Amino acid sequence: MLDEALYIRQMAKKHTELFRNSIPMIASENLLSPLAREVMATDLHNRYAEGTPGERYYQGNEFVDLIEIKVTELAKKLFKSEYADVRPISGTNANMAVLFALTKPGDRITVPSVAAGAHISSAKFGAVGLRGLEPVEYPFDVDEMNLDIDGTIHTIMEVKPKLALFGQSVYLFPTPLKEFQDAFQEVGSHVWYDAAHVAGLIAGGKFQDPLREGAEMMTMSTHKTLPGPQHGMIVANPRDDKTRRKLKYAVFPGVLSNHHLNAMAALGVALAEHIEFGERYADQIVRNAKALGQALYERGFKVLAEKKGFTESHTLVVDVREHGGGKFASEALEKAYIIVNKNLLPWDDVNSALDPSGLRLGTQELTRIGMKESDMKDVAEFMKRIVIDKEEPKKVGQDVAAFKEGFQTIHYCFAEGTRAYDYEELVGL
Ligand SMILES: *Cc1c(COP(=O)(O)O)cnc(C)c1O
């Protein structure tokens, strides 16, 4: 079996090598900082700590408790919330906890639509369905690439949901939460904002501030624009003690037992770094996204929301129907070391998910490795050569890898400038 084990190591190295050469633009990914990565690899990985600090079921948690208290404090500080739970092991896991805490099977819940770029955890075939809920979608305004304001107010007033969910996986513009305030007041809904994609922008003060705009709680993944470990988190200003208690017990024993202590600790490092560097980082992410949108548009790409400046976040959406569609474009780009995902556009049928009209691009990781607005022109030009000019991807790929040589270190963190893709063999096999 040694061969099999070494095969896996070999493939992991090849994977790392692939990303060393690549332009990574999956909007949900990022690079862990050197210090967070170091903490990830400690003995914390081997341990269990069910419960909360001071209320544990296992011994050996002396330092785990100190870490968890500190990470929770940092989360509250970064998001200016009075409550934080840093235990959820992913964004979906955090979402399941909120659903478990605040709904009962058979309840109706209002959610963004698939056309709006909703995440699977808010769909009937995802966590919302698992809880036995009936999702009712807000209408979407394609011209604005945002929720239809009057239609959303109407939906809330009509459904009177106990829980109203906002936030998507394709997220170009802030949700107009303030416009819905009166409806929330009238109906008394818990307002829940899923910040998985935009958490790092929110914390950096660059997108919107949901907890100040009517949201009672935010869930998130901690590894998208917030560049932490793959983990999850809840921050909230619970309306009362009962809600606070429900949220706490929905996480444990509700939807998890152990909470992946190494990731929880690495999250603390990422939060501290974001308090220090997040504002600058978020600002550059959004600048780069706008610059990439403009550069692609000038080269003949149909970038959505052109009239609105393409985006206010890290994300861009491009309609590539006339250039062969999302499947063709994403696969051709991959052959040239440009990593993006194909994506449904608002007018696509859900059944065309395997060959949709669009591409989704994110600039958070390019920013993390030091790219600035001027570099976005190079990225756009590579994309044009492949998708529009139909140049041989392998040939363009050589130029991409050479360009990427200039972006091999991590930024906006402590030990800035550390090499991003180096790995160490720890055992002599
Ligand atoms: C990514 C995402 C999640 C959760 O993803 P995980 O992979 O479980 O961390 C939840 N909601 C939205 C809107 C997302 O984009």
Side-chain angles (χ1 to χ4, degrees):
M1 280 295 118
L2 177 60
D3 281 353
E4 273 75 4
L6 291 179
Y7 168 82
I8 289 165
R9 176 207 255 173
Q10 189 59 27
M11 290 307 113
K13 281 188 187 175
K14 280 182 167 247
H15 170 88
T16 307
E17 200 57 36
L18 172 67
F19 275 81
R20 184 199 304 279
N21 291 328
S22 295
I23 293 181
M25 288 194 284
I26 303 289
S28 57
E29 297 180 352
N30 216 318
L31 286 171
L32 202 53
S33 80
L35 191 57
R37 192 167 149 184
E38 186 193 297
V39 167
M40 277 294 268
T42 60
D43 180 76
L44 286 164
H45 174 265
N46 303 319
R47 304 303 156 201
Y48 256 78
E50 290 178 337
T52 46
E55 271 186 306
R56 299 294 194 197
Y57 296 81
Y58 300 126
Q59 300 315 116
N61 288 153
E62 180 184 352
F63 298 103
V64 172
D65 281 7
L66 295 178
I67 292 168
E68 191 164 324
I69 289 166
K70 179 60 77 180
V71 181
T72 306
E73 211 175 88
L74 290 165
K76 291 196 271 191
K77 184 175 166 66
L78 182 60
F79 287 94
K80 302 187 203 73
S81 68
E82 129 207 344
Y83 177 88
D85 196 322
V86 298
R87 296 174 296 170
I89 55 173
S90 71
T92 300
N93 188 232
N95 288 355
M96 289 169 71
V98 171
L99 293 169
F100 195 45
L102 301 179
T103 63
K104 296 224 155 29
D107 283 350
R108 293 202 293 174
I109 175 177
T110 52
V111 300
S113 62
V114 175
H119 186 252
I120 39 173
S121 56
S122 61
K124 182 108 180 162
F125 52 83
V128 160
L130 180 68
R131 184 63 175 142
L133 306 176
E134 276 304 321
V136 182
E137 295 184 344
Y138 311 117
F140 189 66
D141 181 338
V142 179
D143 290 332
E144 292 293 316
M145 281 304 282
N146 211 331
L147 302 185
D148 177 287
I149 292 177
D150 292 341
T152 298
I153 292 171
H154 183 78
T155 306
I156 294 166
M157 298 299 285
E158 181 132 321
V159 175
K160 298 186 176 38
K162 266 198 241 166
L163 186 57
L165 168 62
F166 298 90
Q168 307 98 245
S169 302
V170 179
Y171 217 160
L172 303 183
F173 301 104
T175 298
L177 280 180
K178 282 186 196 150
E179 310 273 351
F180 311 143
Q181 287 269 21
D182 291 347
F184 297 149
Q185 288 285 325
E186 176 94 17
V187 172
S189 318
H190 291 283
V191 180
W192 166 25
Y193 187 102
D194 180 343
H197 262 267
V198 289
L201 304 180
I202 288 170
K206 295 297 163 191
F207 192 62
Q208 65 182 131
D209 192 0
L211 292 182
R212 253 58 58 191
E213 295 166 16
E216 184 180 1
M217 65 211 81
M218 283 204 286
T219 51
M220 64 194 77
S221 310
T222 53
H223 47 266
K224 297 183 180 177
T225 52
L226 185 68
Q230 294 193 334
H231 199 71
M233 187 158 84
I234 302 171
V235 294
N237 294 321
R239 63 165 68 157
D240 50 29
D241 279 346
K242 193 168 150 216
T243 307
R244 178 190 300 261
R245 228 174 14 254
K246 279 183 179 171
L247 285 172
K248 176 176 167 186
Y249 291 106
V251 171
F252 173 84
V255 298
L256 60 76
S257 84
N258 191 32
H259 49 286
H260 300 183
L261 308 178
N262 60 331
M264 186 265 295
L267 170 59
V269 172
L271 293 171
E273 290 178 323
H274 212 73
I275 290 170
E276 188 118 347
F277 306 99
E279 195 177 330
R280 259 199 315 126
Y281 178 42
D283 185 57
Q284 193 61 51
I285 291 173
V286 178
R287 283 169 184 277
N288 284 352
K290 288 173 181 286
L292 181 60
Q294 182 66 28
L296 288 166
Y297 180 74
E298 284 168 5
R299 284 164 181 76
F301 279 101
K302 268 204 185 126
V303 187
L304 267 59
E306 179 234 332
K307 284 193 209 71
K308 297 186 70 186
F310 309 109
T311 186
E312 294 291 332
S313 74
H314 61 306
T315 304
L316 292 166
V317 188
V318 188
D319 180 353
V320 291
R321 262 179 303 185
E322 65 192 78
H323 307 301
K327 178 175 155 62
F328 160 77
S330 59
E331 289 173 3
L333 289 165
E334 183 180 18
K335 289 186 195 129
Y337 296 127
I338 297 176
I339 313 294
V340 306
N341 65 278
K342 54 183 181 278
N343 216 95
L344 289 170
L345 297 187
W347 49 81
D348 281 341
D349 186 274
V350 183
N351 296 319
S352 62
L354 288 175
D355 188 12
S357 306
L359 298 178
R360 184 186 68 165
L361 314 174
T363 54
Q364 72 293 340
E365 192 173 345
L366 300 186
T367 308
R368 184 80 156 157
I369 52 177
M371 290 195 195
K372 295 273 164 59
E373 289 94 323
S374 58
D375 303 307
M376 297 301 106
K377 294 193 180 125
D378 295 280
V379 174
E381 186 63 26
F382 290 133
M383 291 182 66
K384 170 177 179 280
R385 287 170 60 189
I386 296 156
V387 177
I388 298 181
D389 302 343
K390 307 279 190 295
E391 251 187 74
E392 176 57 43
K394 282 254 149 46
K395 197 171 124 246
V396 182
Q398 290 171 2
D399 296 344
V400 168
F403 170 74
K404 181 65 187 296
E405 270 303 313
F407 303 97
Q408 293 290 312
T409 59
I410 309 182
H411 297 253
Y412 309 98
C413 57
F414 300 124
E416 181 154 14
T418 300
R419 290 185 64 78
Y421 309 97
D422 289 355
Y423 48 81
E424 204 185 335
E425 285 187 7
L426 299 175
V427 289
L429 285 171

